[in-house]
Amino acid sequence: MALLLGFLLLLELCWDTSALGPLSSTKGSDGLEFELPATNYETKDSNQAGPISVLFQIVQVFLQVVQPHPFPEDILRKILQKKFDFSTDYDKIIYYEIGIIICAVLGLLFVILMPLVGFCFGLCRCCNKCGGEMHQRQKKNGAFLRKYFTVSLLVICIFISVGIIYGFVANHHLRTRIEKTRKLAESNLKDLRTLLIGTPAQINYVLSQYASTKEKAFSDLDNIKSLLGGGIHDQLRPKVIPVLDDIKAMAEAIKETREALLNVNNTLKELKMSTAQLNTSLSDVKRNLEQSLNDPMCSVPPVATTCNNIRMSLGQLDDNTNLGQLPSLDKQIDNINNVLQTDLSSLVQKGYKSFNDIPEMVQNQTTDIVSDVKRTLNSLGSDIENMSEQIPIQDKLSDFIGYINDTETYIHRNLPTLEEYDSYRWLGGLIVCCLLTLIVVFYYLGLMCGTFGYDRHATPTRRGCVSNTGGIFLMVGVGISFLFCWILMTIVVLTFVIGGNMEKLVCEPYQNRKLFQILDTPYLLNENWKYYLSGMVLDKPDINLTFEQVYSDCKENKGIYSTLKLENTYNISEHLNIQEHARNLSNDFKNMNVNIDNIVLLDAAGRKNLMDFSSSGVDTIDYNVYLAEMGKTPTKVNLLSFADDLDTKANNLPQGSLKQSLKNNAQNLKTIHHGQVMPLEQSMSTINQSIKELQHKSSGLRVKVANILSSLDSAQDFLQTRISSVIVKESSKYGNMIIGYFEHYLQWVKISITEQIAACKPVATALDSAVDVFLCSYIIDPMNLFWFGIGKATIFLLPAIIFAVKLAKYYRRMDSEDVYDDMENGNIGFHRHHSTQTV
């Protein structure tokens, strides 16, 4: 019944939510992500019995030994088809149940025979038979027998105690699990409500995410300037920007060249003036020295020799450069000035502006297209909003929620009755366990008193009170055992037959899913339907929809749409129609016409300006001539050395006007060197570096300009011939990005409805809770452990009775004993001291 109830629950839920489907969380493109909020359920997936599960496994192993036959699938199929005939098929049932039948028959024999045996045993003892005579004959192995009976009874009592413990544990476990039944039922019903209430919310959530998608698309449409225009701009940048950068650099080079020419030309003029001034100064010194050498002393040896040496070195006091012959740079400067009359930098900036205006042009030309796309997206949004109305979930789910409410009311109304009956059952189980405990306590007391009170030196008629009490305890245990063991065995047989069959026919086949496989047998539950479940849910019995597959999918928390193969009745792909919506958006973008054909990187004036610069003559200047002159020293001789030599020679002359004149001219040469030669050398070094830089800038000027103009022509040609393909490519990329948002969203909706929405795990959990947890774990397992423990203890009562009766003879005080009157002749006789007592 519990299994049937669980499947009906599953079928009802599946039928009422046939328009639903599953969902999976998906990462969207460009940061657009969708994820269905997680649903939390209270009921745990598995039930853990704890350490007591080891005892349950022992009982299951015992049942497997008793009933090793496989599950009777054929018998169950005949019963479900109402084709089972007991008169002809009883042998199959007997074959399957043979183990349980044998155990039950043995139990019934125990129930029938034990009272009879007990009655006969009592009568026998009343007749001083069966150990009823209070006389103990002496035996040579008496001590050994007493010890043997004691140990045997102790071991048997331990086994009985273990069985009693099993009974107590099982009784308590069943009580605690019944107390948890209310919580188990409430958590499952709450989970089912969460599933039913959350399913419409999940669908609404999925459909509402279209607003986020549309918002993202509208944002990108409004940002078409940077996305589409910027994309086109970025594609053209590697071809255009380097050319404009070269032209801009050339415009700066023109200005720098003019500045360098002016600097060199002006410095050259200054050098020419400085050189002329130096020549004048040297000529003056040379003339003064010639006049000084006309002194009469120069004719007197050895002064004459000194004067001749000085006269011969005067030729070195001349200018060493020929700056006056260097051509002027005025012509080149004039040519550069003419080039600079056209502002090439401003023309380049116009090219930059024309190129950088592409995103703005794209935005201005796509205003109408953007509006059309937005209208299409708004229309798509209306279709998606209407989709929630096309899925009639709320009305159907409300009926099932009412069914859950009725179930909850039924449980709350009958659960107190179940708990009340369970309290009676618990009390009965407690009485049974306590009764067995009482019996074994008497045995333990008898063993304890008999063992510790036994005096091996005392004769049977003189045994102590403690030892005699131990024997009495053992006989009391025997009497109670005979009185109640048949009742205990009756309880064991009844619970064994019920619990064992429930374990083998319900719990075990449910866990290994044999029951589902039987229910999935074609034409079993309905002769006209191949698959019963698909016939009920889909009204298409030929579709392979099985109970086992549905249960497995629900255990894996799959959505009902895929679990029940609802695509056969409600095709979500047709309602979403992703390709049609994508085509509509794609057509809007195909109508996009962006015209960018008026971009001029550099006009004719700019081109002429570059050509004029290349023909300005700057690159034809003979820089080597200038560098050669600038590399010379201003004078033929080092004036300081010449002055020092002159001063040395003057010091060798006698005092007079000649000596003083030579020393004055030497000082003048030093002054000329510091005042004119050194500044002239510095200026020549500076202009030498300037000429080298100018030479470097002007080197290959015509080739550089030609390369720039060639690159400019190539870039301009690319803009005129290839820009349309770039526009088409970027427009397609941009359109695919916008379309991709909605394709991704619609695909997510499809996956969501077919994979995650209305995930039916609570249904499988509810079925497991009803069968595997409540019926098997809460009731059958403890019940089986109870009869296993109590049955074990009851069976061991039989040998315990035998050993207890035997052992009592060695503990109780006898009325008579064997007396050896003539030990030498071997004549043995005895006499009685008291009347015979029987127990």
Side-chain angles (χ1 to χ4, degrees):
M1 181 60 69
L3 181 62
L4 181 58
L5 177 62
F7 270 111
L8 289 176
L9 183 70
L10 173 64
L11 293 176
E12 182 67 22
L13 177 60
C14 296
W15 179 258
D16 288 339
T17 56
S18 60
L20 299 183
L23 207 202
S24 61
S25 97
T26 308
K27 290 186 177 180
S29 55
D30 297 334
L32 190 62
E33 298 184 5
F34 304 108
E35 184 173 1
L36 193 68
T39 303
N40 298 319
Y41 298 110
E42 289 186 1
T43 308
K44 296 181 180 180
D45 295 339
S46 60
N47 175 62
Q48 299 295 336
I52 197 175
S53 59
V54 177
L55 303 181
F56 293 158
Q57 293 175 2
I58 294 175
V59 178
Q60 291 169 1
V61 170
F62 175 77
L63 286 174
Q64 185 64 31
V65 174
V66 172
Q67 192 175 11
H69 303 296
F71 184 69
E73 300 180 15
D74 294 337
I75 296 176
L76 184 57
R77 288 191 181 97
K78 288 184 177 181
I79 292 174
L80 292 176
Q81 291 177 328
K82 299 180 181 180
K83 296 180 180 179
F84 181 79
D85 186 359
F86 184 79
S87 61
T88 58
D89 296 328
Y90 69 91
D91 55 332
K92 296 181 180 179
I93 296 180
I94 292 176
Y95 175 77
Y96 178 75
E97 295 282 347
I98 187 65
I100 292 179
I101 292 174
I102 292 174
C103 291
V105 169
L106 293 176
L108 291 176
L109 289 175
F110 187 96
V111 171
I112 296 171
L113 294 178
M114 283 304 289
L116 295 177
V117 172
F119 179 74
C120 295
F121 180 73
L123 292 178
C124 183
R125 287 185 69 88
C126 289
C127 297
N128 292 332
K129 302 295 183 180
C130 304
E133 182 183 8
M134 297 302 292
H135 172 81
Q136 185 176 17
R137 290 175 175 81
Q138 299 296 325
K139 296 181 181 180
K140 292 182 180 181
N141 60 347
F144 170 76
L145 291 176
R146 176 179 56 81
K147 294 177 181 179
Y148 169 71
F149 293 150
T150 301
V151 173
S152 298
L153 182 58
L154 178 62
V155 172
I156 292 171
C157 288
I158 292 174
F159 281 111
I160 295 174
S161 300
V162 172
I164 295 172
I165 292 173
Y166 286 0
F168 274 115
V169 170
N171 195 50
H172 176 72
H173 186 78
L174 181 55
R175 176 72 179 274
T176 56
R177 289 303 179 266
I178 292 298
E179 292 174 352
K180 293 182 178 180
T181 302
R182 183 184 299 273
K183 182 179 180 181
L184 178 66
E186 290 178 351
S187 65
N188 277 280
L189 292 172
K190 183 178 180 181
D191 290 345
L192 290 174
R193 283 198 182 91
T194 301
L195 171 63
L196 298 178
I197 296 174
T199 298
Q202 286 179 328
I203 294 177
N204 292 333
Y205 174 83
V206 170
L207 299 181
S208 67
Q209 291 304 299
Y210 179 79
S212 301
T213 307
K214 186 174 72 171
E215 181 180 352
K216 175 64 176 175
F218 276 26
S219 174
D220 288 352
L221 288 171
D222 294 334
N223 201 24
I224 193 174
K225 176 180 177 180
S226 61
L227 294 177
L228 178 56
I232 296 173
H233 186 271
D234 292 340
Q235 290 294 322
L236 300 177
R237 175 186 291 275
K239 191 71 176 178
V240 174
I241 294 300
V243 177
L244 294 177
D245 289 343
D246 290 342
I247 298 173
K248 182 180 179 181
M250 188 59 69
E252 295 297 325
I254 294 173
K255 295 178 182 180
E256 293 174 357
T257 301
R258 177 180 177 277
E259 295 298 327
L261 287 172
L262 288 174
N263 182 42
V264 171
N265 197 42
N266 292 333
T267 304
L268 188 61
K269 290 179 179 180
E270 293 177 356
L271 288 177
K272 290 180 180 181
M273 295 175 60
S274 299
T275 302
Q277 186 178 359
L278 176 63
N279 284 333
T280 302
S281 299
L282 291 176
S283 297
D284 292 341
V285 172
K286 184 177 181 181
R287 186 171 51 254
N288 290 334
L289 287 174
E290 288 177 350
Q291 291 177 358
S292 299
L293 293 176
N294 292 329
D295 190 274
M297 291 186 65
C298 288
S299 58
V300 179
V303 177
T305 303
T306 300
C307 291
N308 289 332
N309 291 334
I310 294 173
R311 187 177 293 112
M312 292 178 62
S313 64
L314 291 180
Q316 297 177 355
L317 296 178
D318 286 329
D319 181 15
N320 191 38
T321 62
N322 194 14
L323 298 179
Q325 296 181 359
L326 292 176
S328 174
L329 300 177
D330 291 337
K331 180 180 179 181
Q332 286 81 2
I333 293 175
D334 291 339
N335 291 336
I336 295 297
N337 288 333
N338 291 332
V339 171
L340 288 176
Q341 289 180 0
T342 300
D343 191 354
L344 184 60
S345 297
S346 64
L347 295 179
V348 174
Q349 292 301 323
K350 289 181 180 179
Y352 276 118
K353 184 178 184 304
S354 177
F355 178 68
N356 292 331
D357 284 344
I358 288 178
E360 187 72 27
M361 296 168 62
V362 170
Q363 184 179 29
N364 294 334
Q365 295 181 29
T366 55
T367 304
D368 295 337
I369 298 297
V370 169
S371 299
D372 293 339
V373 173
K374 287 184 177 181
R375 280 194 295 270
T376 301
L377 296 181
N378 287 327
S379 175
L380 178 59
S382 301
D383 294 341
I384 291 177
E385 291 176 359
N386 294 333
M387 187 181 299
S388 62
E389 300 175 359
Q390 297 172 4
I391 304 177
I393 295 177
Q394 288 81 351
D395 295 340
K396 293 184 178 181
L397 292 182
S398 60
D399 298 336
F400 191 67
I401 291 176
Y403 173 77
I404 291 180
N405 293 333
D406 294 340
T407 303
E408 184 176 22
T409 302
Y410 176 82
I411 292 175
H412 288 167
R413 184 173 61 249
N414 293 280
L415 191 58
T417 304
L418 174 63
E419 292 174 345
E420 181 182 359
Y421 288 157
D422 181 68
S423 64
Y424 300 147
R425 179 214 55 79
W426 174 80
L427 183 59
L430 189 63
I431 293 173
V432 170
C433 294
C434 290
L435 185 59
L436 280 170
T437 303
L438 179 63
I439 294 173
V440 80
V441 165
F442 278 121
Y443 287 152
Y444 279 127
L445 290 175
L447 288 171
M448 182 178 65
C449 293
T451 301
F452 292 104
Y454 181 78
D455 184 2
R456 61 189 182 89
H457 299 290
T459 62
T461 58
R462 291 185 177 89
R463 287 171 182 162
C465 180
V466 177
S467 177
N468 186 59
T469 303
I472 294 174
F473 276 138
L474 292 178
M475 295 309 297
V476 171
V478 171
I480 297 175
S481 299
F482 275 119
L483 287 175
F484 295 104
C485 65
W486 65 278
I487 299 176
L488 299 178
M489 184 55 70
T490 302
I491 296 174
V492 170
V493 171
L494 291 176
T495 54
F496 166 73
V497 172
I498 296 173
N501 279 293
M502 290 296 292
E503 173 68 27
K504 300 297 290 185
L505 295 176
V506 177
C507 297
E508 184 177 307
Y510 179 82
Q511 292 170 356
N512 59 28
R513 303 186 183 180
K514 286 288 185 181
L515 285 179
F516 298 106
Q517 296 172 9
I518 292 174
L519 293 175
D520 292 331
T521 302
Y523 308 105
L524 177 67
L525 302 178
N526 190 315
E527 294 180 354
N528 299 320
W529 290 354
K530 183 177 181 180
Y531 297 103
Y532 181 78
L533 189 57
S534 60
M536 281 193 61
V537 178
L538 307 176
D539 198 21
K540 297 178 180 180
D542 293 331
I543 297 176
N544 187 7
L545 182 64
T546 64
F547 287 96
E548 184 179 11
Q549 172 252 312
V550 170
Y551 176 78
S552 300
D553 289 349
C554 287
K555 287 288 287 184
E556 296 174 4
N557 203 28
K558 293 184 178 180
I560 288 179
Y561 189 93
S562 60
T563 299
L564 298 181
K565 302 181 180 180
L566 297 178
E567 66 272 9
N568 294 285
T569 58
Y570 185 87
N571 195 327
I572 190 66
S573 299
E574 295 179 358
H575 289 78
L576 290 177
N577 204 357
I578 298 174
Q579 297 301 325
E580 180 180 352
H581 295 302
R583 281 195 301 271
N584 293 336
L585 290 173
S586 180
N587 291 333
D588 290 335
F589 284 107
K590 285 182 180 178
N591 295 328
M592 182 181 295
N593 185 16
V594 179
N595 185 14
I596 306 175
D597 56 0
N598 55 350
I599 298 176
V600 178
L601 301 180
L602 188 67
D603 58 12
R607 291 173 178 269
K608 183 177 182 303
N609 189 261
L610 289 175
M611 295 298 296
D612 292 341
F613 177 58
S614 65
S615 60
S616 62
V618 177
D619 57 331
T620 61
I621 297 175
D622 192 358
Y623 292 101
N624 294 327
V625 174
Y626 289 89
L627 292 175
E629 289 299 323
M630 296 303 120
K632 296 178 180 180
T633 59
T635 59
K636 293 181 179 181
V637 68
N638 190 311
L639 294 183
L640 287 178
S641 299
F642 189 89
D644 291 339
D645 182 65
L646 185 63
D647 196 43
T648 301
K649 291 178 179 180
N651 289 331
N652 294 328
L653 296 176
Q655 295 292 333
S657 58
L658 177 60
K659 180 178 182 178
Q660 187 62 37
S661 175
L662 291 176
K663 294 181 78 62
N664 291 337
N665 283 296
Q667 185 62 38
N668 289 337
L669 287 175
K670 291 180 179 179
T671 302
I672 291 171
H673 178 78
H674 290 292
Q676 296 184 36
V677 175
M678 289 181 65
L680 186 60
E681 287 178 344
Q682 186 175 2
S683 297
M684 291 176 69
S685 176
T686 301
I687 196 173
N688 184 65
Q689 187 65 31
S690 298
I691 291 173
K692 288 182 179 180
E693 292 179 358
L694 185 61
Q695 183 185 25
H696 177 72
K697 290 181 180 179
S698 61
S699 177
L701 178 61
R702 295 178 183 273
V703 176
K704 292 179 182 178
V705 172
N707 290 337
I708 290 175
L709 292 176
S710 176
S711 299
L712 177 63
D713 292 337
S714 176
Q716 193 69 55
D717 181 68
F718 180 82
L719 292 176
Q720 292 176 355
T721 60
R722 301 288 300 279
I723 192 171
S724 58
S725 62
V726 173
I727 293 174
V728 170
K729 178 181 177 181
E730 289 301 313
S731 299
S732 176
K733 179 180 177 181
Y734 176 76
N736 290 336
M737 180 181 66
I738 301 297
I739 295 173
Y741 294 152
F742 295 92
E743 286 184 335
H744 170 69
Y745 168 74
L746 294 175
Q747 187 66 29
W748 176 70
V749 172
K750 178 182 177 181
I751 294 174
S752 301
I753 294 180
T754 56
E755 292 184 9
Q756 189 173 343
I757 288 181
C760 57
K761 188 173 185 178
V763 180
T765 303
L767 185 59
D768 287 342
S769 298
V771 180
D772 192 40
V773 178
F774 174 72
L775 180 61
C776 296
S777 297
Y778 283 9
I779 297 178
I780 301 302
D781 285 346
M783 178 190 295
N784 289 339
L785 181 61
F786 181 80
W787 63 251
F788 183 77
I790 300 302
K792 174 184 176 181
T794 304
I795 291 173
F796 276 103
L797 286 179
L798 185 58
I801 290 173
I802 297 172
F803 286 110
V805 172
K806 293 284 187 180
L807 187 60
K809 274 284 189 179
Y810 292 90
Y811 291 159
R812 295 186 65 189
R813 186 183 298 121
M814 298 290 101
D815 293 338
S816 63
E817 61 183 353
D818 291 342
V819 177
Y820 296 92
D821 295 330
D822 188 358
M823 297 295 296
E824 293 181 358
N825 297 325
N827 295 322
I828 301 175
F830 66 92
H831 55 85
R832 303 176 186 276
H833 299 285
H834 304 286
S835 60
T836 303
Q837 299 177 3
T838 59
V839 176

